[in-house]
Amino acid sequence: MKAWSFSTDSHPRAERAAAWHEAMSRLGLPIEGLSDAEPASASVVCLTSPLGIEFALVEAGAQAISGRRTGQPAAVWLAVLLAGEATLVTDDLAEDLASGDIAYGPTGQAAALRLETRCRLMFVRAPRVALDHRLIAPFSLRVGRLQAATGVAHILSGLLRATADGLEDLTVDQLRPVELALTEFLAICLVEGGTRADALGAGAAAPTAHLQRLCQTIETLLPDPELSLRRVADEEGVSPRYVQKLFASADETFSHYLRTRRLERCRTDLASPQHARLSISEICFRWGFNGSAHFSRAFRDQYGQSPREFRQGAAA
């Protein structure tokens, strides 16, 4: 786990503005509207998880976080307002954020977050490679806001707020369940936010949401080696053909998705110190694979290295 922190208080007053620009640039967050003469006291605490998800707690005065940074890996960003007043601005909207609200979007799309007062925020940047297997329809993703008052967004906001409160003291083992929970909650929230009628058309929203529910059902049944298309269809009260059509609408198949999710779960366990005493065979069997040789071939095809090589690299 990579960790770093920054505070303008550790710099001479005349150098604080430039140092803050550099720190925010390190987070991939260009800023503007910052006074060179009287830069406000500001700080960052940043951790990068084993999955490559970046968590950054930022405290800063009034300014605008705006613009697009080129050359960054494809990712989804979140900004949770913990304290203060801020406004999310895009070409299509200008929305005031309430405490706990979550602004989000894909890297590469223009947006601005205006800090109207001194603010405390949690920024999260999740690589698309860590999320795409849980985002069945990532093509619909755009800049938006999740209101934290109710629903799953309320739970996600609470998770991120609690993570922010303990960020400086978290260990790798403690951060791992946070990143796993984050990807699950974020997938649900982004699908709910991205399948609005104005985004995809009224006819597309319901099937996409149903596909996401199917994927959640699959997630709970992954350890079952006998898991089949018909079993999932029966669990959801639909026909196997309907399940196939839902996956086809996202250029995916049931069997490929199932194998990918099992491989992802195995990959996570192989990298986890909590499962270091489990053999590779035990890990592959606990996520529904029927044989270690088949698992090893599938793992190499997916990730370009054997499970043993990956585990050794993760331990190093």
Side-chain angles (χ1 to χ4, degrees):
M1 183 170 66
K2 300 176 183 178
W4 61 277
S5 61
F6 169 87
S7 173
T8 55
D9 294 340
S10 62
H11 292 263
R13 196 164 191 83
E15 299 175 6
R16 289 181 181 179
W20 181 241
H21 275 279
E22 183 178 345
M24 292 295 277
S25 178
R26 185 173 178 181
L27 291 176
L29 301 173
I31 58 174
E32 58 187 31
L34 182 66
S35 170
D36 289 334
E38 293 291 337
S41 176
S43 64
V44 175
V45 175
C46 182
L47 298 181
T48 302
S49 76
L51 284 180
I53 300 176
E54 189 174 72
F55 298 82
L57 178 61
V58 174
E59 296 191 48
Q63 57 194 274
I65 301 169
S66 177
R68 289 180 289 182
R69 296 295 302 275
T70 59
Q72 292 189 93
V76 175
W77 58 265
L78 307 176
V80 189
L81 181 64
L82 305 174
E85 298 177 8
T87 304
L88 175 64
V89 180
T90 69
D91 293 337
D92 301 323
L93 58 83
E95 295 187 85
D96 294 333
L97 300 181
S99 179
D101 282 359
I102 304 170
Y104 68 89
T107 54
Q109 285 192 18
L113 189 63
R114 291 203 306 254
L115 311 187
E116 313 292 353
T117 65
R118 183 167 185 81
C119 291
R120 184 171 184 260
L121 306 105
M122 169 70 106
F123 284 94
V124 179
R125 184 169 57 184
R128 290 292 287 262
V129 294
L131 278 177
D132 276 355
H133 61 277
R134 298 299 291 127
L135 293 175
I136 298 300
F139 57 83
S140 65
L141 187 58
R142 61 185 189 181
V143 176
R145 173 176 68 118
L146 299 173
Q147 294 178 289
T150 59
V152 178
H154 179 70
I155 301 173
L156 176 59
S157 178
L159 170 67
L160 294 174
R161 184 183 292 275
T163 303
D165 290 342
L167 192 63
E168 294 183 78
D169 301 317
L170 288 177
T171 65
V172 173
D173 287 346
Q174 293 166 339
L175 191 58
R176 191 175 301 278
V178 174
E179 64 180 358
L180 292 176
L182 172 66
T183 57
E184 295 302 315
F185 281 119
L186 184 56
I188 296 171
C189 287
L190 293 182
V191 166
E192 289 181 349
T195 57
R196 298 171 302 188
D198 63 335
L200 294 177
T208 304
H210 197 180
L211 178 56
Q212 190 64 29
R213 290 197 299 272
L214 278 170
C215 292
Q216 292 165 11
T217 298
I218 291 171
E219 204 70 18
T220 65
L221 300 174
L222 283 178
D224 182 1
E226 303 301 322
L227 182 58
S228 65
L229 176 66
R230 178 166 292 281
R231 167 78 186 283
V232 172
D234 289 345
E235 290 283 337
E236 288 295 308
V238 297
S239 69
R241 179 168 175 76
Y242 180 69
V243 174
Q244 289 175 320
K245 287 177 65 176
L246 285 178
F247 277 103
S249 70
D251 294 325
E252 181 62 281
T253 65
F254 168 79
S255 59
H256 180 265
Y257 180 80
L258 176 62
R259 182 174 67 252
T260 300
R261 288 304 301 139
R262 282 175 166 161
L263 286 170
E264 283 292 326
R265 289 294 191 175
C266 291
R267 183 171 178 261
T268 298
D269 284 358
L270 288 169
S272 172
Q274 295 175 330
H275 298 99
R277 294 187 177 183
L278 292 179
S279 69
I280 292 175
S281 294
E282 287 173 322
I283 288 175
C284 82
F285 290 138
R286 77 192 296 261
W287 289 114
F289 284 97
N290 287 312
S292 55
H294 167 67
F295 164 68
S296 293
R297 287 193 298 271
F299 193 95
R300 183 181 288 277
D301 288 343
Q302 182 77 8
Y303 303 114
Q305 58 184 157
S306 70
R308 187 175 304 280
E309 290 168 342
F310 173 78
R311 181 177 239 182
Q312 291 171 344

